[in-house]
Amino acid sequence: MINKSMGFLETNFPNWRNNRYLKYTASKASKAKMQKYTSRGKMLRIATIREYVPIILVKIGRKVKNLIHKFKAKFKKFLKAKNKKKYLKQRIPGRKLVKQPKDVKYTRFYEKLKVNENEVLYASKHGEDVAGNIFRMLLAMKEEKYRKFHIKLTLKQSLVPTYQKLFERYGINYVDIVITDSKEYLQSLSTAKYLITDTSFPPYFIKKPEQIYLNTWHGTPLKAMGRIVPNREYGLGNVQRNFMIADYLLYQNEFSRDIFIKDYMLEPIYNGKVMLSGYPRNSAFFLKDRYNQIREELGLDGMRVMAYMPTWRGRLDKKENKKQISILYNYFYELDSYLKDDQVLYVKLHPFVKSAMNYDDFEHIYPFPEEYETYDFLNATDLLITDYSSIMFDYAVSKKPIVLFTYDRKEYLNERGMYLDLNTVEFPKADTVKQLAKAIQKDSTYPKFYEEFCKYDSKDTAKEGCEALFFHEKVSFPIESVQREEKKNVLIFMSGMKKNDTTERLIERLNELDTSKHNYYLCMKTSTVKKATSMLSQLKTEINYIPLVFDVNYTIKDRLACAWNFKFGFSNKTSDRLIDELAKREKDKYFGNTHFDSVMYFSMTDKIVFHMCKAFDAKKIYNSKSFDAKKYSENKKYKKHIDYYMNRIDSFDMVVGTNQLKKASIDALKNSSVKLVIDKNSKFDFEEVLKEVE
């Protein structure tokens, strides 16, 4: 406005500032204002200050207010912290560069240390237990032929005294305990030739090609798993990754094998072997002498000994432990009054609620004796009471009676899907304590259930499992590859999903794809799909996905190289080499030796993922259909971002773009050997692009 009005006056009224009327007859106020009109520059400066200073002050005020709010919130956390010194230490600026977190330490060991051919590392539930399968395999390694191995077991520090006593009782004096997340544990994770777990190894773990990894999982699935868990479709990432990179997956029956392979979407890509062997822990039920021995030691001769092992209610973000304890107390008081003097009930609860239960008020109800391993003690019981726990599949090996106490069946089943209809299972069911008291007085059989779920279990499962793993000896159970159709595997890196029309349209297009020749895998960071997890459930079952628990294993050098290239926009051979090595390591971490025929970098903006794509031995496609030529010519930041990719595009086989990309005439792209395909359609045509690149 100032420029136009000044221009108008200077053009039409030359020397207007010396106009006599303005000089001599204008009011005092007008003359005062005239001082500001002496030059165009002065006017612009005054107007700018008056316009923007209030806005700047408001913004500064908001920032100060936010800083005060953040400080107050952090100060409250500090006051609540039990260990205030530790709390402050963890928040020192630059601490990650000085005091390296465990993933950085692990990566250093991974890079520097070689695999020890005779080292074995066991882990049960992330070091929070020494549960059935792991315990039985450790016990099987008591034989002299295993003495050449250095056997290690990881445990949380607080659990060490308990399990040391247990190991002494069972004569397990050949196992070294390493504290979970300690330096020794991180070293062992990178050097052990053999890795065995019943859950998963941490997200930063990278399996070396020389390492042999056995995953036994910790139960036959009754509740929904993997992609079919409602509202948790995104949450399978690290477990799926562990299955994908494992050399062996061990299952109790075909039912388990088929569920895990299907619902973790492993069938088209898993390259390891499946052991259909029964569970090592169920070997305990074939040791008849232990039945009498344990009962004699505990003074239980002539007693009807029962076990109660319920599943845990709640979620990790909503535990509701007090509610569960309150409900159980009331049921135990009532049940205790029904039990006879020759009946005793032993209870094993989830660790979250176990310590809160007090058994002093009951005459016939006790906690599981800690001096015995769980399955060893279960072998000495006469009946199992459970609900929705997979323990029913294990206990059924004994052919002893099982009763399902499903007092909250309707509520529980509404929250969590099930693979079996409990109404069709042969076990007696009780919804009240009175019904439960009647049910435990009767014997029951379940021939169909046993045949379907327990036929592979034997007294030698643990022994043979170890022999197959460590000595490649011939065993009685099958060790097979996953059967699959011969199709090409396609990996599509995406930036995530949102609950909007764009994602809806994308899902519609994906569901329309012909899957007769290709297996499609969408890949995105877990954090970018968490809020829209229900969108994943809309994909047809032939379209698979891999959510990455994306936490990069940086070393200090890697961090500096990424900052140098990504943040400051500089690059040299050393920084490029370090970033490529980092990306190769990340690719190995997430995908192991999984083969993909084609990899698409589709609507992504993450440079680490871009470099990961480069690391695949596959046809590589870069989708640039969203390229904006106008923005490229006018916005320096956008140009710099695009140029980063274009300067490194030679590793790709094809760039798919529009005429805008062609018109932009980017030098790096013109000088590259990569094939540029101009797609005039508004939608990205996955099938046409694959035809072109193949």
Side-chain angles (χ1 to χ4, degrees):
M1 186 184 74
I2 290 167
N3 276 321
K4 284 189 176 182
S5 60
M6 286 290 184
F8 175 81
L9 286 168
E10 285 163 8
T11 303
N12 296 288
F13 304 95
N15 202 28
W16 63 271
R17 289 183 182 83
N18 295 317
N19 183 277
R20 287 185 178 185
Y21 176 79
L22 289 175
K23 269 190 145 184
Y24 302 114
T25 63
S27 68
K28 204 172 184 179
S30 295
K31 285 179 180 178
K33 286 179 182 176
M34 279 300 298
Q35 301 298 320
K36 297 165 188 173
Y37 292 88
T38 53
S39 76
R40 185 188 302 229
K42 194 171 184 180
M43 272 291 287
L44 288 168
R45 284 195 296 276
I46 290 167
T48 302
I49 290 167
R50 286 188 171 176
E51 177 72 23
Y52 290 109
V53 165
I55 295 171
I56 291 165
L57 289 173
V58 167
K59 286 186 175 179
I60 290 170
R62 282 177 186 163
K63 284 192 175 181
V64 169
K65 193 176 178 181
N66 286 336
L67 285 170
I68 291 169
H69 178 73
K70 284 179 181 178
F71 175 78
K72 283 182 178 178
K74 286 180 178 180
F75 190 65
K76 279 183 182 177
K77 284 184 180 178
F78 167 72
L79 292 175
K80 287 180 182 178
K82 291 180 181 178
N83 188 334
K84 291 179 172 55
K85 192 175 178 183
K86 185 181 178 182
Y87 180 88
L88 289 173
K89 266 187 179 180
Q90 289 173 341
R91 281 149 186 83
I92 295 170
R95 178 179 173 271
K96 282 192 174 181
L97 291 175
V98 180
K99 187 176 174 62
Q100 298 168 4
K102 54 181 176 281
D103 57 337
V104 175
K105 288 179 183 175
Y106 165 75
T107 307
R108 193 172 72 246
F109 295 139
Y110 171 86
E111 290 288 333
K112 290 184 177 180
L113 302 179
K114 291 182 179 179
V115 169
N116 181 340
E117 292 295 313
N118 293 320
E119 187 175 345
V120 184
L121 179 64
Y122 280 95
S124 178
K125 296 179 182 174
H126 309 294
E128 293 182 355
D129 201 353
V130 185
N133 288 335
I134 300 302
F135 179 84
R136 271 304 136 182
M137 291 186 75
L138 285 171
L139 203 57
M141 292 185 79
K142 188 182 278 190
E143 292 184 31
E144 188 59 34
K145 62 182 175 182
Y146 293 104
R147 292 294 67 80
K148 72 171 185 175
F149 294 104
H150 184 186
I151 306 167
K152 296 181 179 180
L153 168 75
T154 181
L155 273 177
K156 295 282 179 72
Q157 180 74 64
S158 59
L159 297 174
V160 173
T162 301
Y163 285 105
Q164 279 180 332
K165 285 180 185 176
L166 186 75
F167 287 168
E168 283 175 22
R169 186 176 185 89
Y170 286 89
I172 301 175
N173 56 5
Y174 43 85
V175 174
D176 285 337
I177 294 174
V178 296
I179 307 304
T180 305
D181 293 337
S182 67
K183 180 182 175 182
E184 189 179 356
Y185 168 73
L186 299 174
Q187 286 176 325
S188 295
L189 202 56
S190 64
T191 60
K193 171 77 172 181
Y194 301 94
L195 299 156
I196 304 103
T197 183
D198 58 8
T199 40
S200 59
F201 286 110
Y204 56 80
F205 164 64
I206 310 167
K207 181 184 170 295
K208 294 180 178 179
E210 314 95 279
Q211 291 180 306
I212 297 174
Y213 176 10
L214 166 66
N215 190 300
T216 75
W217 200 240
H218 50 268
T220 291
L222 177 62
K223 299 180 282 288
M225 304 287 286
R227 74 182 298 172
I228 70 165
V229 180
N231 302 315
R232 288 279 300 172
E233 295 89 349
Y234 73 92
L236 53 84
N238 190 46
V239 173
Q240 181 192 47
R241 179 185 82 92
N242 270 261
F243 290 159
M244 202 159 59
I245 65 176
D247 297 282
Y248 297 99
L249 299 174
L250 185 150
Y251 297 119
Q252 187 183 6
N253 43 53
E254 291 98 342
F255 173 79
S256 297
R257 177 197 65 192
D258 295 346
I259 281 172
F260 280 104
I261 296 298
K262 180 185 176 186
D263 289 338
Y264 283 93
M265 298 166 276
L266 302 174
E267 184 181 344
I269 54 175
Y270 180 62
N271 293 316
K273 301 283 187 183
V274 170
M275 293 182 175
L276 200 60
S277 61
Y279 265 151
R281 63 192 183 200
N282 294 339
S283 304
F285 294 115
F286 295 90
L287 305 175
K288 303 301 181 187
D289 57 324
R290 289 294 289 163
Y291 175 86
N292 294 318
Q293 193 176 340
I294 291 172
R295 293 169 73 95
E296 188 178 327
E297 289 172 0
L298 293 175
L300 297 172
D301 285 338
M303 301 286 283
R304 184 169 171 77
V305 182
M306 297 172 286
Y308 178 46
M309 295 179 70
T311 196
W312 175 63
R313 271 74 168 167
R315 305 193 307 262
L316 288 174
D317 60 342
K318 192 181 178 183
K319 293 190 172 69
E320 297 184 338
N321 293 336
K322 287 183 180 178
K323 179 184 173 183
Q324 190 171 349
I325 285 292
S326 175
I327 290 169
L328 288 176
Y329 259 126
N330 291 331
Y331 286 142
F332 287 170
Y333 273 118
E334 191 179 352
L335 182 61
D336 198 37
S337 67
Y338 283 111
L339 294 177
K340 300 173 184 176
D341 289 341
D342 64 345
Q343 293 177 322
V344 63
L345 178 68
Y346 283 91
V347 178
K348 186 173 178 66
L349 301 176
H350 191 280
F352 284 153
V353 291
K354 178 182 173 182
S355 58
M357 181 63 73
N358 183 359
Y359 296 89
D360 293 343
D361 295 335
F362 308 122
E363 288 184 36
H364 309 95
I365 302 175
Y366 303 91
F368 261 48
E370 288 189 355
E371 61 267 34
Y372 297 99
E373 188 271 329
T374 300
Y375 280 72
D376 195 29
F377 179 72
L378 274 176
N379 183 36
T381 62
D382 303 299
L383 176 144
L384 172 71
I385 303 168
T386 187
D387 43 27
Y388 323 104
S389 171
S390 64
I391 189 66
M392 67 175 73
F393 297 98
D394 298 326
Y395 197 81
V397 171
S398 69
K399 297 186 179 180
K400 295 173 186 176
I402 297 172
V403 178
L404 303 184
F405 182 36
T406 52
Y407 58 85
D408 58 351
R409 194 187 318 185
K410 190 175 179 181
E411 178 189 347
Y412 190 88
L413 297 184
N414 282 341
E415 290 185 4
R416 188 80 182 256
M418 292 249 177
Y419 289 110
L420 292 180
D421 180 355
L422 287 183
N423 293 319
T424 65
V425 176
E426 297 159 279
F427 308 134
K429 294 143 200 100
D431 295 329
T432 67
V433 174
K434 192 172 183 180
Q435 290 173 356
L436 177 62
K438 285 183 180 178
I440 62 177
Q441 306 303 330
K442 302 172 184 176
D443 284 336
S444 58
T445 58
Y446 35 88
K448 289 180 183 176
F449 188 91
Y450 182 89
E451 179 59 28
E452 184 174 358
F453 301 111
C454 308
K455 61 185 176 184
Y456 291 110
D457 287 287
S458 76
K459 66 176 182 178
D460 294 324
T461 298
K463 176 177 176 290
E464 288 194 309
C466 287
E467 288 171 347
L469 182 68
F470 297 108
F471 301 113
H472 304 289
E473 291 185 14
K474 200 169 183 180
V475 290
S476 61
F477 54 80
I479 301 177
E480 301 171 336
S481 300
V482 173
Q483 299 300 309
R484 56 173 171 252
E485 296 179 66
E486 287 300 318
K487 298 182 190 178
K488 291 185 175 180
N489 294 326
V490 181
L491 183 66
I492 305 167
F493 280 101
M494 302 181 66
S495 56
M497 287 185 175
K498 293 179 180 178
K499 287 185 178 180
N500 57 24
D501 292 342
T502 305
T503 302
E504 290 279 4
R505 287 193 294 271
L506 174 64
I507 288 173
E508 282 176 18
R509 284 159 56 200
L510 291 167
N511 285 340
E512 289 168 1
L513 290 174
D514 177 9
T515 55
S516 62
K517 295 179 181 177
H518 295 95
N519 298 306
Y520 292 95
Y521 278 86
L522 304 182
C523 187
M524 71 289 286
K525 298 177 186 177
T526 298
S527 59
T528 64
V529 75
K530 186 175 181 180
K531 290 181 180 178
T533 182
S534 59
M535 293 296 195
L536 292 171
S537 65
Q538 294 179 30
L539 292 167
K540 65 180 182 180
T541 53
E542 291 84 3
I543 303 295
N544 307 295
Y545 62 88
I546 302 172
L548 304 182
V549 183
F550 203 75
D551 191 7
V552 181
N553 283 36
Y554 291 108
T555 62
I556 292 174
K557 283 182 181 179
D558 297 334
R559 276 192 188 277
L560 294 172
C562 290
W564 182 254
N565 274 31
F566 304 162
K567 192 171 183 179
F568 301 115
F570 303 116
S571 66
N572 54 41
K573 286 183 179 179
T574 302
S575 63
D576 280 353
R577 175 180 57 78
L578 286 169
I579 291 169
D580 282 336
E581 287 173 1
L582 165 66
K584 168 69 167 57
R585 197 166 63 227
E586 288 296 298
K587 192 273 281 186
D588 292 344
K589 177 173 78 175
Y590 294 117
F591 302 99
N593 64 350
T594 305
H595 175 70
F596 291 96
D597 297 277
S598 300
V599 175
M600 294 184 183
Y601 184 80
F602 182 82
S603 67
M604 287 292 296
T605 54
D606 190 289
K607 292 185 174 73
I608 293 290
V609 175
F610 171 78
H611 283 273
M612 280 172 60
C613 286
K614 287 170 58 180
F616 279 91
D617 181 17
K619 296 287 185 182
K620 293 179 274 291
I621 301 139
Y622 182 96
N623 172 35
S624 192
K625 288 198 70 171
S626 60
F627 175 79
D628 188 329
K630 189 171 183 291
K631 194 175 178 182
Y632 182 78
S633 64
E634 295 176 358
N635 188 315
K636 288 183 180 179
K637 191 175 180 182
Y638 182 75
K639 183 180 187 303
K640 186 178 176 182
H641 179 74
I642 296 296
D643 285 347
Y644 183 90
Y645 296 117
M646 294 300 116
N647 288 328
R648 295 161 176 79
I649 206 68
D650 272 337
S651 299
F652 282 73
D653 296 277
M654 181 189 291
V655 172
V656 180
T658 63
N659 280 320
Q660 283 203 52
L661 185 65
K662 195 174 183 180
K663 286 176 185 175
S665 193
I666 301 171
D667 289 338
L669 186 56
K670 282 196 300 183
N671 298 329
S672 170
S673 59
V674 67
K675 184 177 183 180
L676 175 61
V677 174
I678 302 303
D679 188 352
K680 294 178 182 178
N681 296 320
S682 58
K683 299 174 183 176
F684 185 92
D685 194 327
F686 292 96
E687 289 169 332
E688 283 301 316
V689 167
L690 287 171
K691 276 184 192 176
E692 189 78 32
V693 81
E694 289 170 0

